[in-house]
Amino acid sequence: MKRLPPLPALHTFLVTAQHCNFTRAAQQLHITQGAVSRQIASLEEHLGYALFQRQARGLSLTREGQDWLPRVQQVFALIDQGVREVGGRSATLQLKAPTCVMRWLLPCLMEWQALRPDVPVELTTTVQHGVDFRREGFDAAVVYGNAPNHGLRVRKLFDEQLTPVCAPSLLDGSVPLAQLEDLAGHMLLHPSRDEHDWRLWLQAAGAGFDLHGPRQHFETLDMAMAMASQGTGVAIGDWALIGDDLRSGRLCMPFGLKVMTGKAYYLASPAKSPPAGLIELLDWLEQRASQ
């Protein structure tokens, strides 16, 4: 079998054939014009026939050069396809999630990366609760609210269940926190400006008072939980998202009532063929949520 021509020389031939000009080919390849000329001459010597006709006003392909061009184009197209397909197997998965789910999701992703370093995940956080895969380049997203549709692949993670939480030290403080009415003597921490979560829970609990006492608002659930863990006041949060805080003792539930809001957290992904590793990641997150 005759020795195959060197790949760099074939690439130089491809670029030169596209321009039919040594100078422009050299500029694109970031080498000198003389280097381009020498590579083409070496390739022609290797093949045993000319690929270009040297003319006063430039170059033109010989008949052999015209026959070679589509074949070389096909070779480099196959190489490019192989790079993209093989490289895609270990490409980083792009995941989008609202900030309100970070307390649950971040520890899960850290555990996933320890178990599967070969399937890296890049997380983008947002205050938005939805996703539009037609305009956003994500492989999957955590969605909060009602079940998304529009032809997506959807898995339910867990329902939102609201309950008051506070630092354990607050239970033993000078101001009692044993009965529902005792909440009136504590600062209520709100994870949003509309105070909707507290109102919903107090109504379900049958509280005989409204939100007239001291209160503080935060932009995110995470900020409200952080302040509650320091003993600042009593926050309202999603029981499913603060499991680690409850297990570690950073937070406790002064009351056992958990109120379903009718909303939930879902994993959504496009209906198209998923990238390598995505199904395994979604299966694993769904399993962690069920625990």
Side-chain angles (χ1 to χ4, degrees):
M1 180 182 295
K2 186 175 181 179
R3 184 171 59 88
L4 295 175
L7 191 62
L10 288 177
H11 185 233
T12 299
F13 163 74
L14 179 61
V15 174
T16 305
Q18 291 170 344
H19 296 287
C20 279
N21 185 285
F22 283 151
T23 302
R24 287 198 291 269
Q27 291 171 345
Q28 181 173 335
L29 293 168
H30 302 289
I31 58 178
T32 65
Q33 178 180 340
V36 172
S37 179
R38 286 191 296 272
Q39 287 195 35
I40 295 298
S42 175
L43 179 61
E44 291 174 327
E45 182 180 355
H46 178 94
L47 296 173
Y49 44 79
L51 297 172
F52 293 97
Q53 290 179 349
R54 280 72 169 172
Q55 300 168 336
R57 295 187 177 182
L59 303 174
S60 63
L61 287 167
T62 63
R63 187 179 66 180
E64 290 81 4
Q66 294 173 3
D67 289 342
W68 257 104
L69 181 57
R71 291 171 169 81
V72 175
Q73 289 173 330
Q74 184 178 16
V75 166
F76 279 93
L78 288 172
I79 293 174
D80 179 66
Q81 180 182 352
V83 169
R84 286 185 284 106
E85 291 180 354
V86 175
R89 296 173 188 169
S90 59
T92 300
L93 297 176
Q94 300 295 323
L95 180 64
K96 177 185 178 182
T99 55
C100 56
V101 79
M102 287 300 102
R103 296 182 76 83
W104 175 82
L105 183 59
L106 277 179
C108 290
L109 290 180
M110 291 175 65
E111 185 178 347
W112 167 262
Q113 295 293 207
L115 294 171
R116 294 295 306 274
D118 59 312
V119 186
V121 180
E122 183 174 302
L123 176 64
T124 298
T125 60
T126 174
V127 295
Q128 299 173 350
H129 292 159
V131 65
D132 186 350
F133 291 113
R134 295 169 299 179
R135 296 180 175 87
E136 301 177 86
F138 297 103
D139 298 308
V142 178
V143 177
Y144 165 75
N146 300 317
N149 44 31
H150 307 302
L152 303 179
R153 300 177 189 269
V154 177
R155 306 160 180 245
K156 187 176 183 179
L157 290 174
F158 37 72
D159 293 300
E160 183 180 42
Q161 303 178 64
L162 298 179
T163 189
V165 293
C166 65
S169 60
L170 210 63
L171 299 179
D172 304 323
S174 57
V175 181
L177 187 56
Q179 302 178 18
L180 189 61
E181 290 74 16
D182 294 337
L183 283 171
H186 290 269
M187 177 177 288
L188 300 187
L189 308 178
H190 298 268
S192 61
R193 297 257 171 207
D194 57 16
E195 303 184 352
H196 173 267
D197 291 351
W198 263 118
R199 295 185 187 278
L200 184 64
W201 188 89
L202 290 170
Q203 181 180 5
F209 61 93
D210 203 351
L211 302 173
H212 297 306
R215 55 192 182 269
Q216 189 169 356
H217 302 89
F218 299 91
E219 297 299 328
T220 66
L221 173 70
D222 190 64
M223 294 173 63
M225 294 299 110
M227 292 299 293
S229 66
Q230 297 176 23
T232 304
V234 185
I236 189 79
D238 188 343
W239 174 79
L241 299 181
I242 56 178
D244 285 346
D245 297 283
L246 296 173
R247 284 188 292 270
S248 67
R250 289 189 297 271
L251 295 172
C252 65
M253 294 171 51
F255 310 102
L257 176 63
K258 298 190 288 289
V259 176
M260 304 277 284
T261 67
K263 297 182 178 180
Y265 292 88
Y266 300 88
L267 282 172
S269 58
K272 64 182 182 181
S273 179
L278 180 63
I279 298 301
E280 295 174 72
L281 172 63
L282 300 184
D283 286 344
W284 189 83
L285 288 175
E286 188 176 21
Q287 181 183 8
R288 293 286 280 110
S290 67
Q291 297 171 0

